[in-house]
Amino acid sequence: MFDTDPTGAWHHGSVPAPFERPVIAQRNLPVLLRGLVGNPCAPPEALVRLAAANIDRTGLARRRDLPAQAAVILAGDEDADLRLELAANPNLPAEVQIVLARDVDVRVRGRLAEGAEYFTTVGVHGRHFPRPLSHDVYALLARDPQPKVRRALAFNRHLPDDIRARMLDDDDARTAAIAAAEWDPAPTARISELLSRATGAFGRELLLLRLDGPLPTEVARGMLAGIDSSAGPANSAELLPYIAATADLDAALTRRFLSDPQLRAELAANPTLDPEHVAALAHDPDNEVRAAVVTRRGLDPVLRESVSVEYDDGSSGNTVEWLLDGDLSEPDQLAFARSRHQVFRKTLAMRTDLSDEAVAILAGDESFAVRLFVCERQPNAPGWLLARIAADWTSYSRWDMLAHKNFPADVATALARSDDPQDRVVAAAHPGLLIDTIEALLADGADDVRRRAATNPSIPTDRLITLLEADESAVVSGAAANRTLPVVTMHQVLDQARL
């Protein structure tokens, strides 16, 4: 809790010694401090000072550049929800990881164990993965008394092989199944044993989906026999599509799956299906079956391009996982960029290593979904396309497009003058705006617009300093979060607040 002494100085817990006139109006200090928490260029020592105060500690916990000293402070906070946010931070030092791995709240330990991927918005939307935890932390979490923590750990893509191997023998069958399914390559030799231990469909589905190679024919036969003889087949029947997609097929299994219209698409995707049946299913009347044939890895390109498939242009799904993996030569990039099949063009647009020529082809694609992915994922997305998509797109990635280095300044200016406040908000921080336009946004009638405008990096430093004294809290918080705010000014604010 902040208060003032008779001189008007803000302090925390003790009366400060007299000092020169404050550089910041006292009424603005709490708002300024919250703004500093979100300033992307706040130095580590400033973040440590903020962590020691009760100022938006949740916002601090989410910062990917959180200094170790600040993380230690937050890890000892009595608020479990704050520690939960901290456990999701992908860049925690080892000394904080071990503290959270012993946390009394199972949610905190589970969040740390999971190591979930996260997203950032820095001009090009991207998927990022957390750094590995220390080996001691993995070992501690693998012994956690709560199965839900161990299950979360089994999903962690960085889990060391020796610990994952031990988790295959976990007393909890689902933990063992997840540990096997997430191992690359999956321990095929133990699949039969793990399948027999798994209870219900969930664990078995995980194992079947992540097999390194086909499900052995005899194992598939045994599972089918169990399903056929089950008194309550509803749960087991959910496994049929997975068996059809992964079994090492022989003639009898192929006939069985072909005879079931609900399983033909899964059969068409099975990598062990013989070429004769693949060619026949390429002309199946069911669009889903033909789509499954098209996405088979290693399919003859001539056959692939001869198959007609209809795609849902509004769907963000329908991607080809194997096209996202590994290197892709430029000739292959161009071939997939010109494919008749939207699913390949859309998947290709998600890669961030494309040549300028491939990006140019995809930028002119007939599919909106393909063009959208170009804008969301490509560092060299053309400005004209960014402007065209951003004009009507309302999702979160619109902010990314405005922050993209290729987004045209004149289009951002037009959006900044729009009658729609949402247009003005997303355009307000564009670095290409002229100062007159920024000033108009700083006087806008909407708080969000004023706050966003105050973060614009093109505001001159002397003008930015005056915004810290504004009467509008939205402007003050935005100015404090402005990446161009001088570090010396940040420390003046912290000094004045006695942090």
Side-chain angles (χ1 to χ4, degrees):
M1 177 67 69
F2 286 94
D3 51 320
T4 59
D5 68 9
T7 69
W10 287 81
H11 60 91
H12 184 255
S14 61
V15 177
F19 63 109
E20 70 258 22
R21 179 183 178 277
V23 294
I24 303 299
Q26 289 88 343
R27 68 181 183 278
N28 287 346
L29 276 175
V31 176
L32 282 168
L33 294 171
R34 286 193 292 272
L36 288 181
V37 168
N39 191 310
C41 292
E45 61 272 18
L47 298 178
V48 172
R49 296 174 71 180
L50 287 165
N54 191 22
I55 302 292
D56 192 10
R57 303 181 98 192
T58 298
L60 278 173
R62 293 171 179 163
R63 288 190 65 124
R64 307 310 180 195
D65 58 350
L66 187 66
Q69 187 177 348
V72 169
I73 294 171
L74 298 180
D77 195 279
E78 62 182 16
D79 184 352
D81 288 336
L82 172 62
R83 302 196 307 276
L84 188 65
E85 289 289 348
L86 185 65
N89 193 310
N91 300 325
L92 294 174
E95 62 266 32
V96 174
Q97 295 173 12
I98 199 72
V99 169
L100 296 177
R102 295 184 173 123
D103 199 278
V104 296
D105 193 309
V106 67
R107 299 177 303 152
V108 174
R109 305 197 306 273
R111 180 73 64 87
L112 179 72
E114 182 182 8
E117 61 197 60
Y118 64 97
F119 293 86
T120 58
T121 52
V122 290
V124 177
H125 195 66
R127 175 177 290 182
H128 299 261
F129 300 101
R131 297 174 186 171
L133 302 173
S134 73
H135 193 278
D136 288 344
V137 171
Y138 283 127
L140 179 61
L141 292 169
R143 298 191 301 270
D144 195 279
Q146 290 292 330
K148 63 171 59 178
V149 174
R150 304 198 303 276
R151 291 173 184 177
L153 181 66
F155 277 114
N156 193 304
R157 65 180 57 240
H158 292 306
L159 191 61
D161 286 353
D162 63 319
I163 293 178
R164 190 176 292 279
R166 292 201 299 270
M167 293 184 75
L168 297 184
D169 298 316
D170 196 280
D171 291 339
D172 178 57
R174 180 170 291 192
T175 297
I178 297 170
E182 294 296 318
W183 203 344
D184 187 18
T188 307
R190 297 194 60 178
I191 290 297
S192 296
E193 168 208 339
L194 292 166
L195 283 171
S196 66
R197 286 185 59 203
T199 56
F202 177 78
R204 298 178 190 178
E205 291 169 4
L206 281 174
L207 292 166
L208 293 176
L209 281 171
R210 295 302 299 271
L211 276 172
D212 179 34
L215 177 69
T217 304
E218 290 309 312
V219 176
R221 289 183 185 280
M223 294 183 70
L224 290 171
I227 291 173
D228 292 341
S229 62
S230 175
N235 190 38
S236 296
E238 295 176 9
L239 294 171
L240 285 172
Y242 298 94
I243 300 173
T246 60
D248 188 0
L249 297 167
D250 60 9
L253 289 175
T254 301
R255 284 195 301 271
R256 170 168 179 158
F257 296 134
L258 275 174
S259 66
D260 189 337
Q262 303 300 316
L263 300 177
R264 292 168 71 86
E266 285 75 16
L267 179 68
N270 189 309
T272 69
L273 185 64
D274 65 85
E276 180 181 352
H277 283 103
V278 170
L281 291 173
H283 304 287
D284 195 273
D286 189 316
N287 188 71
E288 187 177 351
V289 174
R290 299 196 305 276
V293 170
V294 161
T295 56
R296 289 176 62 92
R297 191 168 198 164
L299 187 68
D300 175 46
V302 175
L303 175 59
R304 175 178 286 138
E305 291 302 300
S306 72
V307 180
S308 175
V309 178
E310 296 179 5
Y311 298 97
D312 178 8
D313 192 43
S315 171
S316 61
N318 300 327
T319 55
V320 184
E321 289 297 325
W322 56 260
L323 188 56
L324 291 173
D325 298 333
D327 296 330
L328 194 64
S329 68
E330 185 166 353
D332 284 340
Q333 289 184 19
L334 298 178
F336 283 117
R338 295 186 175 106
S339 173
R340 71 178 293 181
H341 296 291
Q342 182 209 67
V343 66
F344 291 107
R345 307 194 308 270
K346 183 191 296 184
T347 304
L348 188 69
M350 297 174 67
R351 295 181 62 115
T352 56
D353 59 349
L354 301 183
S355 67
D356 289 344
E357 185 177 359
V359 171
I361 293 171
L362 296 171
D365 199 274
E366 64 181 9
S367 164
F368 172 80
V370 173
R371 300 194 304 273
L372 175 63
F373 276 134
V374 169
C375 291
E376 290 183 336
R377 303 297 179 95
Q378 298 305 322
N380 50 349
W384 62 266
L385 180 61
L386 290 163
R388 183 175 298 176
I389 298 296
D392 301 311
W393 187 238
T394 58
S395 182
Y396 63 87
S397 59
R398 191 183 194 210
W399 297 77
D400 283 347
M401 295 176 201
L402 266 290
H404 197 290
K405 62 184 176 64
N406 292 341
F407 196 91
D410 59 336
V411 178
T413 300
L415 286 171
R417 295 170 179 167
S418 167
D419 292 334
D420 186 343
Q422 290 303 313
D423 286 346
R424 302 198 299 275
V425 168
V426 296
H430 193 281
L433 298 183
L434 298 176
I435 191 61
D436 288 347
T437 303
I438 297 173
E439 289 292 346
L441 294 168
L442 288 169
D444 196 273
D447 285 355
D448 288 347
V449 175
R450 297 196 304 276
R451 182 180 296 107
R452 177 84 168 161
T455 68
N456 195 298
S458 295
I459 298 175
T461 301
D462 56 349
R463 174 58 173 142
L464 183 59
I465 299 300
T466 67
L467 294 179
L468 301 179
E469 297 272 13
D471 294 328
E472 297 282 349
S473 62
V475 172
V476 173
S477 63
N482 193 308
R483 65 176 62 246
T484 67
L485 186 68
V487 171
V488 65
T489 303
M490 297 185 197
H491 282 294
Q492 284 177 325
V493 172
L494 294 166
D495 290 342
Q496 192 171 324
R498 288 296 185 260
L499 298 181

